[in-house]
Amino acid sequence: MSMEFSVIKRYGNAAINHEQNLCCPVEYDTKYLKIIPEEIIEKDYGCGDPLGKIKEGDTVLDLGSGGGKVPYIVSQIVGETGKVIGVDMNDDMLSLAKKYQREIIDTLGYDNVIFHKGKIQNLKLDLNKVDEYIKENPVASLTDFNSINDYIFHLEESFPMIKDNSIDVVISNCVLNLVSTKEKEQLFNEIYRVLKKGGKAVISDIVSNTEVPQELRDDENLWSACYSGAMEEKKFITAFENAGFYGITIDKRMETWTTIKDIDFRSMTVTAYKGKDGACLDKGQSVIYKGPFKHIEDDDDHIYQRGERTYVCEKTFNILKKEPYSQLFDFIDGDEHHISNDDECCASTCNC
């Protein structure tokens, strides 16, 4: 049995019968739970709270939306002008999420939540459309199989489930670890693809203090329980870096949840931002790092000495004016004594 099948089976059962201690318990603001049926609440499984940076009007994508608890909480945060998209590949979880949707819409007075069947490592492919196509075009030959592959390619290229640059905030709660090791790079790239420039990913997941050995990765029970598919803490952070994110911040690092064969597993919530790609042009802009450290270095090898003026390109200047950096710097928007060339990077220290 494949790891993916074991995950589908376990979470399908958990959508029907509550499974105790599946991932870590998570508590949300109770004011958002009043409209959510108890059946959804008791069958929610997660390890953290990635909701703190969502605001009214945001378009939010929830990866591994399960029975719908988090999307229905977020729907209240973003309000009538916002939008919530849940993606899950488990039919039983999706059925539970949709079971009370009309009731919740009537209570809220607006409808801003939609659920899709899909894999979070391939947010282009709507699996509901694939299911419908296969029902209408059963596979009886190699030609039929090739036709399905052609249809999948057509869907991904012409009708992506989640479009490029369309999401303000991507959230996830104890789901990335369920994706196979070989597909995790694609998963982080997909999160980056769908975010708008300036958007952010807020991800809560189980991580380990050291690399998980193959013998544990081959354990289907440990994998579907969110343990053996966990990334080592540093590699989890590096995965965001490799996908192109900036401003990567550990918002919360929990105490050890469990230890298996001397490996500690814990929940960690990380925020990462999209938007540092683009031209590096000199506009004579500079910043002064205010401290508290003597100096710091960013992901693009800029070094900022406390109290000293540092010239940066326009792109870096604009990034530093945003979260999570803005409180660390004073900003000087242009300098008549600084020689500027719009076609060149601002300084030899700028590697962005």
Side-chain angles (χ1 to χ4, degrees):
M1 181 169 64
S2 70
M3 291 302 179
E4 184 174 291
F5 183 78
S6 69
V7 170
I8 292 173
K9 182 179 179 181
R10 184 163 190 174
Y11 282 84
N13 291 333
I16 299 169
N17 300 296
H18 174 72
E19 182 172 345
Q20 192 73 24
N21 296 325
L22 184 57
C23 292
C24 318
V26 183
E27 295 184 2
Y28 298 100
D29 192 328
T30 56
K31 71 181 180 182
Y32 296 120
L33 304 181
K34 296 176 181 178
I35 69 165
I36 303 176
E38 187 61 33
E39 183 180 8
I40 290 178
I41 291 174
E42 73 173 7
K43 292 168 183 173
D44 175 67
Y45 308 99
C47 64
D49 181 358
L51 310 186
K53 292 181 172 61
I54 297 169
K55 64 183 185 301
E56 184 176 357
D58 278 343
T59 296
V60 179
L61 173 63
D62 181 19
L63 303 182
S65 51
K69 178 180 172 181
V70 168
Y72 290 131
I73 291 174
V74 175
S75 71
Q76 299 170 72
I77 299 173
V78 301
E80 191 170 0
T81 60
K83 183 179 181 182
V84 187
I85 304 168
V87 173
D88 205 288
M89 68 174 181
N90 192 293
D91 288 319
D92 293 307
M93 283 292 184
L94 288 166
S95 294
L96 175 59
K98 296 175 181 179
K99 181 177 179 180
Y100 299 97
Q101 193 165 10
R102 173 47 55 185
E103 175 184 322
I104 293 173
I105 290 170
D106 292 342
T107 302
L108 286 176
Y110 55 83
D111 179 9
N112 64 353
V113 180
I114 185 171
F115 295 100
H116 289 301
K117 182 180 179 180
K119 295 183 179 182
I120 63 174
Q121 64 268 42
N122 184 4
L123 295 169
K124 289 185 176 182
L125 185 59
D126 188 330
L127 292 181
N128 266 330
K129 292 182 179 179
V130 177
D131 284 344
E132 291 169 4
Y133 183 86
I134 292 175
K135 287 177 182 177
E136 296 173 2
N137 303 273
V139 179
S141 66
L142 180 59
T143 299
D144 296 335
F145 177 78
N146 289 333
S147 295
I148 292 173
N149 283 332
D150 289 341
Y151 179 69
I152 288 174
F153 179 79
H154 172 67
L155 284 180
E156 291 177 334
E157 294 301 309
S158 301
F159 302 97
M161 181 174 65
I162 311 296
K163 295 180 180 179
D164 295 3
N165 310 304
S166 61
I167 305 296
D168 294 303
V169 188
V170 174
I171 61 173
S172 184
N173 192 346
C174 203
V175 177
L176 271 61
N177 59 76
L178 296 174
V179 173
S180 69
T181 302
K182 66 180 181 180
E183 293 178 301
K184 280 192 168 69
E185 180 179 356
Q186 178 185 346
L187 167 60
F188 283 89
N189 289 338
E190 278 290 88
I191 295 172
Y192 190 86
R193 176 184 68 81
V194 302
L195 279 169
K196 298 175 183 178
K197 186 173 183 178
K200 53 184 170 286
V202 188
I203 307 297
S204 297
D205 212 42
I206 296 292
V207 295
S208 59
N209 67 324
T210 189
E211 193 76 18
V212 178
Q214 192 61 44
E215 63 179 278
L216 293 187
R217 294 201 184 280
D218 291 337
D219 188 312
E220 294 171 358
N221 183 61
L222 288 177
W223 189 284
S224 61
C226 301
Y227 295 125
S228 59
M231 299 179 71
E232 185 271 328
E233 292 181 39
K234 175 56 180 174
K235 289 189 176 181
F236 186 58
I237 299 298
T238 301
F240 287 99
E241 295 175 7
N242 292 342
F245 287 96
Y246 75 86
I248 303 162
T249 305
I250 300 172
D251 293 323
K252 195 165 189 178
R253 183 178 180 274
M254 303 289 284
E255 295 296 322
T256 299
W257 169 242
T258 193
T259 300
I260 302 171
K261 292 194 173 181
D262 296 325
I263 300 174
D264 293 335
F265 295 90
R266 59 170 46 84
S267 170
M268 192 159 75
T269 301
V270 170
T271 297
Y273 297 80
K274 176 180 176 176
K276 74 173 184 176
D277 45 337
C280 184
L281 302 177
D282 181 0
K283 300 289 186 179
Q285 295 159 316
S286 58
V287 299
I288 296 176
Y289 171 56
K290 296 188 292 187
F293 299 105
K294 185 175 181 179
H295 56 79
I296 58 172
E297 180 178 354
D298 68 16
D299 290 338
D300 293 313
D301 301 326
H302 302 101
I303 297 176
Y304 307 96
Q305 302 285 348
R306 182 175 55 209
E308 291 186 12
R309 189 168 180 172
T310 303
Y311 285 94
V312 293
C313 70
E314 180 184 40
K315 177 179 67 175
T316 299
F317 185 80
N318 290 332
I319 286 175
L320 295 179
K321 291 181 73 174
K322 301 175 183 178
E323 292 297 327
Y325 307 113
S326 58
Q327 299 302 313
L328 299 177
F329 295 92
D330 282 333
F331 299 90
I332 304 169
D333 195 359
D335 181 358
E336 62 182 12
H337 300 297
H338 179 67
I339 299 174
S340 173
N341 185 338
D342 287 354
D343 297 324
E344 295 181 3
C345 184
C346 56
S348 61
T349 57
C350 184
N351 295 319
C352 56

